[in-house]
Amino acid sequence: MAQEDMRDLQSQIDEIEALSSIYGDEWCVIDEASRIFCIKIADSSDNPKWTACLQTILPPDYPSSAPPLYQINAGWLRGPERMELSNRLEEIYLGNTGESILYLWVENIREFLVEKSQSSDSVEEAEVSKSMVTEEADDDNDEGDVVDYSALKNTEQAHLFVDHLKDEELPEIKHGEAITDRRSTFQPHLALVVTPKQVRLVLDKLYENKKIASATHNIYAYRIHCEDKNTFLQDCEDDGETAAGGRLLHLLQILDVRNVLVVVTRWYGGILLGPDRFKHINNRARSILVQEGYTDTPEEAAKGGGKSKKPRGKKTK
């Protein structure tokens, strides 16, 4: 085993040296000891309109038996497009198991950006898309564009590939009541999940609904309890609604719910809501958590003297 570890380490060193030589200043070492790296990727045009930042953590058993952990940061990268790109990277890994794949990932992301650039009819269209992504960002101080490298050091927080040899069932998806405020509509969705693969299955299923896929934002957060380590695998997505994903995840943490994915869909109605939009997102999320028995109603919490009860997360059948 030690010999295989040494081969993996040497493969990583060779790959990093090659990538550094190929990409120059675009390649950045965040924490060499922890094997954390980052590369800025742009489309191939002289004046690139589309960029993304790929952050990776190389586990000790990469490339022999594990993929890199990764995170893609791009303000414009929204739900369906993010899933499409993640699926592309996953296919590359599955087709090249045991081999170094970072170069293939980087160039595939670049191809994705080129396709994105070519599909834009004009620079003005790109600017419109950009303005949609940053809608109402004035009172958020652009939090969503700040890269938190410290979070990458906790591999429990990084995006994980799961065991693709194991079949996963699509969990049942529950839909909550929608509310409308000043022409913006918010609707929550919930599913019991116990693996990251199930999170992806649920999101893919939701995006099959054209109305949900075309929504302005699909904000989500999930928490999965790893009983063997007594830790949580958790993540969130703003989908263009700056800082909303983090606030939603914080709500799940406060309520101490586990093994659950909550998605809040927002259809923007053309009128800025300011901070009220966060209130609606979290209220819709809490409503479906109460509806499905993951937490107390306000009345039950009051009867309990205001103390937090153990969450009633549903069990798999």
Side-chain angles (χ1 to χ4, degrees):
M1 180 61 69
Q3 189 174 2
E4 184 173 330
D5 290 343
M6 287 299 296
R7 283 199 298 268
D8 280 332
L9 178 59
Q10 188 58 51
S11 294
Q12 291 185 21
I13 292 173
D14 293 342
E15 184 176 22
I16 296 309
E17 287 181 354
L19 292 171
S20 177
S21 175
I22 293 170
Y23 297 113
D25 292 340
E26 293 179 345
W27 180 262
C28 180
V29 178
I30 305 303
D31 187 332
E32 187 168 4
S34 300
R35 316 302 289 162
I36 303 176
F37 307 93
C38 173
I39 180 169
K40 183 178 180 181
I41 309 168
D43 64 62
S44 301
S45 62
D46 293 333
N47 298 302
K49 298 190 292 280
W50 304 97
T51 62
C53 180
L54 173 66
Q55 303 165 49
T56 63
I57 301 176
L58 303 184
D61 47 355
Y62 166 79
S64 65
S65 58
L69 309 179
Y70 77 92
Q71 179 175 311
I72 301 174
N73 291 310
W76 54 267
L77 189 60
R78 303 176 56 202
E81 292 173 322
R82 182 177 290 276
M83 293 305 300
E84 178 187 348
L85 187 52
S86 294
N87 288 337
R88 287 191 182 193
L89 301 189
E90 184 175 341
E91 289 174 3
I92 290 175
Y93 169 67
L94 293 175
N96 298 272
T97 304
E99 301 176 14
S100 299
I101 60 169
L102 288 183
Y103 176 78
L104 296 176
W105 274 10
V106 172
E107 291 309 307
N108 193 269
I109 293 173
R110 195 184 309 280
E111 289 177 11
F112 185 84
L113 298 176
V114 171
E115 293 170 10
K116 184 78 175 172
S117 179
Q118 292 175 345
S119 66
S120 299
D121 294 332
S122 64
V123 174
E124 287 76 17
E125 182 179 354
E127 290 302 316
V128 168
S129 298
K130 189 176 180 180
S131 65
M132 286 178 62
V133 169
T134 57
E135 184 261 314
E136 298 180 352
D138 53 315
D139 58 324
D140 293 322
N141 201 27
D142 293 330
E143 296 176 57
D145 292 330
V146 177
V147 178
D148 182 7
Y149 293 123
S150 63
L152 281 173
K153 296 183 181 181
N154 182 354
T155 57
E156 293 290 338
Q157 301 295 328
H159 178 89
L160 299 177
F161 275 115
V162 297
D163 183 2
H164 297 280
L165 300 177
K166 180 180 178 181
D167 291 330
E168 297 276 2
E169 287 189 12
L170 173 68
E172 182 180 4
I173 303 175
K174 302 289 187 176
H175 305 281
E177 181 181 355
I179 64 165
T180 300
D181 179 14
R182 285 163 280 179
R183 300 207 298 263
S184 276
T185 299
F186 302 80
Q187 183 182 24
H189 321 278
L190 177 148
L192 184 152
V193 294
V194 293
T195 67
K197 177 67 172 179
Q198 288 185 322
V199 172
R200 175 167 296 181
L201 289 173
V202 171
L203 294 173
D204 283 343
K205 186 64 177 179
L206 285 172
Y207 290 136
E208 288 179 8
N209 183 308
K210 293 182 180 180
K211 184 177 179 182
I212 293 175
S214 64
T216 316
H217 310 289
N218 282 293
I219 305 104
Y220 70 80
Y222 67 85
R223 296 185 85 218
I224 297 172
H225 185 226
C226 307
E227 294 185 5
D228 55 338
K229 299 179 181 178
N230 195 27
T231 58
F232 285 91
L233 175 62
Q234 55 192 20
D235 202 356
C236 60
E237 169 59 42
D238 294 339
D239 195 20
E241 187 72 285
T242 308
R247 295 176 190 227
L248 180 56
L249 178 57
H250 185 56
L251 174 68
L252 302 187
Q253 292 168 337
I254 290 175
L255 297 176
D256 193 25
V257 295
R258 54 193 65 189
N259 299 337
V260 65
L261 163 69
V262 177
V263 182
V264 179
T265 301
R266 181 193 181 184
W267 293 272
Y268 176 55
I271 300 175
L272 302 182
L273 301 186
D276 283 350
R277 67 194 189 278
F278 298 120
K279 177 186 69 177
H280 293 318
I281 291 167
N282 275 16
N283 282 348
R284 288 299 84 206
R286 182 176 175 82
S287 73
I288 199 168
L289 287 167
V290 170
Q291 171 188 311
E292 297 304 315
Y294 282 85
T295 189
D296 295 328
T297 64
E299 293 77 11
E300 289 174 330
K303 290 179 183 178
K307 296 180 180 179
S308 60
K309 283 181 66 176
K310 187 176 180 180
R312 296 177 291 161
K314 295 186 179 180
K315 298 180 179 179
T316 53
K317 296 180 180 179

